Amino acid sequence: MHAMVAQTRNELVLSLRQGEQLLVSMGIPVLVLLFLSQVDILPTGTERPIDFLAPAVLGLAVMSSSMVSLGIGTGFERHYGVLKRLGATPLGRPRLLAAKIASVVATEVVQLAMLSGVALALGWQPAWSVLPFAGAVLLGTAAFAGTGLLLAGRLSGPANLAACNGLYLVLLLFGGVAVPASELPGPLGGVAGVLPTGALVKVLRSATGATLPVTGAWIALLAWAVAMPLAAALTFRWSPAD
Amino acid sequence: MRRASSAAANFAAVTGSDTGREPGSDTDRSVGSDTGHGVAVDIAGLRVSYGAVTAVDGLTLQARAGEVLGLLGPNGAGKTTTVETLEGFRRPSAGTVRVLGLDPVSDHDRLMTRLGVMLQSCRLYSAIRPIEALRLFASYYPDPDDPEALLDRVGLRSRARTAWRKLSGGEQQRLALALALIGRPEVVVLDEPTAGLDLDGRLLVRAIVAGLREAGACVVLTSHELTEVERVVDRVAIVDRGRLLACGSPAELAVAAGGTAEVRFSAPRGLDVAALAVTLRAPVREPEPGRYVIEAAADPGLVARLTGWLAERDVGLADLQTGPTGLEDVFLRLTSAARSEEGA
C-alpha cells in the first residue's frame, strides 16, 4: 500500500512540475471556456453559449488528463526506459497502473471543480444528475486513458507526443466539443456522434440539464471504455523499442 | 600510492588461493572466509535467441554469495542479454536461470525484493530529484536502506534537489547505483557500472562492490573494460559471441593462458640490471628505457629488496605493478582464437 501511495504522489508531483502538462490540463480548457463564451462565433442556435460550452469543456478536460497527459507521460517513460527500470523493482505492473489511474482521477477532480467554478461564474446554470455525470466521467476516462496508453505502448516517445496532441485536436474539432455534431458537413456529423469525445460530451450535456436522446451515446461511450483499455492491455510494450 | 595499493591487490589475487588472501593488504579486497556460502546465481546451458540471431549460446556459470563475478567481453558478446535473463526481462530459449533459487520470470515479484539492478544507460523521470527517487524506490521494498545515507554514500548530497535531467552523466550513474542498493539486495546485477564515470566514480564503484561482498552479497557485473574488472572481481567469465571462453580468478586465467608472474616498475633509465638481478635473485630486464621487468612472483621479500636497493642509490620508484601478464593479453588471445576458429 505504501508503494502505491508513494507512486501516486510521485506521478502527481512530477506532472505538476511540468508546465506544459498544466497548460494542457488546466490552461487550454479555461481558455476555451473564457474565449468562446465571450465571443459569439459558435453556431449554438438559441442556447446560451455557456450552457452549450460548459459540459463540452468538462469533456475536453477529461480527454486532456486521461489521454494527452497520461499518454504522453507514459510514452516518454517507456521510450526512455523508466518503465523498464521500474520492472526491475518490486513495484509491479498492477500497482503502477493503479497509481497512474489514481493520479489521473485526482487531477480530474481538481480540473472539473475548477472549470465548473469558472463556468458557474460565467453564468452556467446546470441541473446536475450526479450519477450519470460521474458514470460518464469514469467511462470517458477509461476510453481516453486506453487510447493514450494504446499509443504510448507502441509508438516512440516523440511520435507518441505528436499522435496524442494530434488526436486531441481532431477530437476537439470533430468530437462535438466546440462545434455541434449536427453542424458538421455530411457524414462527419454521424461519425462525430460515435467518437468518444462526442459521446462523452453528449452524455455530460444530458447529465447537466439538457434534454437529449442519449442512449446511443451511452452505448458508444461504453464500447470505447471497454475496447480501448483492452486494446492497450493486449499491445502494450513495457520496454523501449530495441 | 594508488598504484602500489592496486599492486598489493594484484598480489593478493595472485597468491590468494582458497587458503586466504593477504588480510589488510588492501582494504578493498580483504574478505573473510567465504567458504560455505550457497550458490546465488545459477546459469545452466543458457541460450537466448532473437529470431535467427543467437545472443547467448549455451552459457553455464555460477556465482556464490559473497562473491563478485565479472562478465567480460567485447561489445555484442551477449553480456547484457545474459544479465537481462537474471532480471527477468528476457526468457531463455533453452537452459535455466535461477537467482537465489527463484526463476526470474515466473517468480519475478518475489525475486525483485532481493535483487538490486543497475541497467545499462538507465534513465529516470526527467523531473525527479535524487532524494525523491531514492525515497520513491525505498517505498517499493520491505526493508529499504536509508535514502539520506545512500545519498551521502554515492556523493550526491549537494545535488539532492536537482532535477534528474540536469545531473551530469556521472551523477546519473551514481544515482542509478544508489537505486540498485536501496532495497538491501542479496544479489546485485550491475550492467557496465563504470561506463562514463570519472576516476572518483570508479573508485566509488570499487568501494561499494567491495562493501557488498563483505556484507555477503553476490555481485554480478559486466564490463568491456579489462582494468576495471581486474580490480574488483573474484572471478572473471570471459564471453564472446554468447559463449563462455574462460572462467576463473584473473590470476588463474593469466596462468592458464601461459602468462608468467612478473613485477613491473618505472625508474630512471640505465639502472644496473645485472646488479639488481643479483640482489633480487631473479632476472631483470629493461625492455624500454626507464621501464623495468623482474621475472618473478611478487612476494613481500622481493619488493622489500627492490625498494631497499633503490633507496641505497637514492633512486625514485614509480608505477610499481605486480601480477602475471595482464588480463588484457589473456582476453585478446582468447577472443581472437575464438574468432579465427570460427572463421576457419
Side-chain angles (χ1 to χ4, degrees):
Chain A
M1 198 57 201
H2 178 48
M4 207 213 110
V5 172
Q7 188 64 32
T8 305
R9 190 176 164 279
N10 175 64
E11 302 278 341
L12 279 171
V13 166
L14 293 183
S15 69
L16 282 176
R17 213 173 270 165
Q18 281 172 309
E20 67 274 17
Q21 294 261 27
L22 272 183
L23 183 72
V24 171
S25 24
M26 305 284 178
I28 292 179
V30 170
L31 267 180
V32 169
L33 197 55
L34 285 174
F35 185 79
L36 293 183
S37 66
Q38 301 305 305
V39 185
D40 192 14
I41 54 166
L42 288 177
T44 54
T46 54
E47 276 182 278
R48 294 184 312 144
I50 190 67
D51 286 332
F52 170 82
L53 264 176
V57 168
L58 297 184
L60 187 69
V62 169
M63 179 165 73
S64 69
S65 291
S66 51
M67 185 179 78
V68 183
S69 299
L70 177 70
I72 292 176
T74 309
F76 277 111
E77 286 165 21
R78 187 178 82 86
H79 181 66
Y80 288 132
V82 178
L83 294 184
K84 185 176 181 179
R85 180 63 187 86
L86 295 180
T89 70
L91 176 65
R93 291 175 187 183
R95 283 196 292 193
L96 175 64
L97 271 180
K100 285 193 175 288
I101 291 167
S103 124
V104 166
V105 169
T107 310
E108 283 177 348
V109 167
V110 174
Q111 270 181 310
L112 295 180
M114 197 185 74
L115 290 169
S116 298
V118 173
L120 290 171
L122 290 170
W124 184 34
Q125 292 167 336
W128 302 86
S129 318
V130 175
L131 272 182
F133 185 89
V137 168
L138 283 182
L139 288 180
T141 302
F144 288 120
T147 310
L149 292 176
L150 178 67
L151 297 172
R154 272 308 171 111
L155 300 178
S156 77
N160 173 61
L161 172 76
C164 284
N165 281 325
L167 195 57
Y168 177 75
L169 196 64
V170 168
L171 291 176
L172 168 66
L173 292 178
F174 299 108
V177 178
V179 185
S182 57
E183 300 288 331
L184 292 169
L188 273 180
V191 175
V194 295
L195 287 179
T197 323
L200 173 63
V201 168
K202 204 168 183 187
V203 172
L204 287 179
R205 284 200 175 116
S206 149
T208 51
T211 322
L212 291 166
V214 288
T215 314
W218 275 113
I219 292 171
L221 192 58
L222 183 66
W224 285 111
V226 172
M228 297 317 277
L230 194 63
L234 290 176
T235 60
F236 199 90
R237 285 184 179 164
W238 295 81
S239 290
D242 288 317
Chain B
M1 282 321 285
R2 191 37 62 188
R3 280 286 190 188
S5 95
S6 76
N10 275 342
F11 169 73
V14 170
T15 57
S17 60
D18 287 343
T19 51
R21 302 187 183 87
E22 280 287 310
S25 61
D26 183 309
T27 49
D28 280 3
R29 294 193 62 97
S30 64
V31 280
S33 165
D34 301 332
T35 50
H37 282 299
V39 173
V41 172
D42 192 358
I43 301 171
L46 174 66
R47 195 158 59 77
V48 184
S49 308
Y50 313 113
V53 181
T54 301
V56 179
D57 191 6
L59 194 68
T60 296
L61 263 181
Q62 289 189 332
R64 299 179 162 273
E67 182 179 51
V68 181
L69 174 71
L71 278 182
L72 181 66
N75 293 326
K79 306 185 296 285
T80 295
T81 302
T82 302
V83 295
E84 286 196 344
T85 63
L86 302 180
E87 294 152 352
F89 287 124
R90 308 228 177 252
R91 272 171 207 277
S93 311
T96 56
V97 169
R98 292 287 179 273
V99 181
L100 297 166
L102 299 168
D103 181 329
V105 176
S106 62
D107 297 319
H108 191 258
D109 292 353
R110 272 201 294 163
L111 177 58
M112 285 308 124
T113 59
R114 302 165 68 188
L115 183 73
V117 167
M118 184 173 173
L119 300 178
Q120 200 177 137
S121 66
C122 166
R123 298 184 59 142
L124 281 181
Y125 298 104
S126 64
I128 204 167
R129 298 161 179 163
I131 186 63
E132 291 173 338
L134 283 163
R135 285 191 192 127
L136 176 66
F137 275 58
S139 78
Y140 302 157
Y141 294 90
D143 177 32
D145 211 337
D146 175 24
E148 301 282 343
L150 258 180
L151 190 73
D152 287 330
R153 191 161 163 213
V154 298
L156 285 177
R157 170 58 60 194
S158 65
R159 308 289 273 163
R161 300 190 58 76
T162 305
W164 183 87
R165 64 173 176 277
K166 291 186 181 159
L167 298 174
S168 73
E171 288 164 344
Q172 291 172 351
Q173 285 278 95
R174 284 165 185 253
L175 180 57
L177 182 62
L179 292 176
L181 306 180
I182 190 77
R184 299 183 196 269
E186 292 162 62
V187 175
V188 183
V189 178
L190 308 173
D191 200 355
E192 298 279 355
T194 53
L197 281 184
D198 58 10
L199 181 61
D200 275 354
R202 282 159 194 266
L203 293 175
L204 175 74
V205 170
R206 277 180 226 160
I208 281 179
V209 168
L212 285 167
R213 169 173 42 200
E214 219 157 319
C218 169
V219 182
V220 177
L221 60 88
T222 73
S223 183
H224 59 275
E225 294 172 274
L226 299 140
T227 46
E228 278 308 314
V229 168
E230 219 167 355
R231 282 158 197 259
V232 295
V233 302
D234 297 301
R235 283 191 307 135
V236 190
I238 297 184
V239 291
D240 192 18
R241 307 201 169 180
R243 293 194 191 144
L244 183 66
L245 300 183
C247 187
S249 74
E252 282 166 4
L253 288 186
V255 170
T260 48
E262 56 184 35
V263 179
R264 300 174 289 276
F265 68 96
S266 294
R269 59 182 63 190
L271 293 182
D272 183 351
V273 292
L276 180 58
V278 170
T279 306
L280 297 179
R281 301 191 284 277
V284 181
R285 294 180 285 126
E286 187 182 2
E288 48 186 304
R291 192 74 191 139
Y292 298 87
V293 176
I294 305 164
E295 291 168 12
D299 60 72
L302 180 110
V303 176
R305 290 196 296 281
L306 169 66
T307 52
W309 191 86
L310 293 169
E312 274 170 27
R313 286 155 185 80
D314 198 21
V315 167
L317 168 69
D319 263 346
L320 179 64
Q321 291 175 311
T322 71
T325 320
L327 195 55
E328 191 168 355
D329 297 339
V330 179
F331 177 69
L332 290 174
R333 210 175 303 171
L334 285 170
T335 52
S336 65
R339 276 171 201 230
S340 64
E341 207 169 282
E342 231 157 77

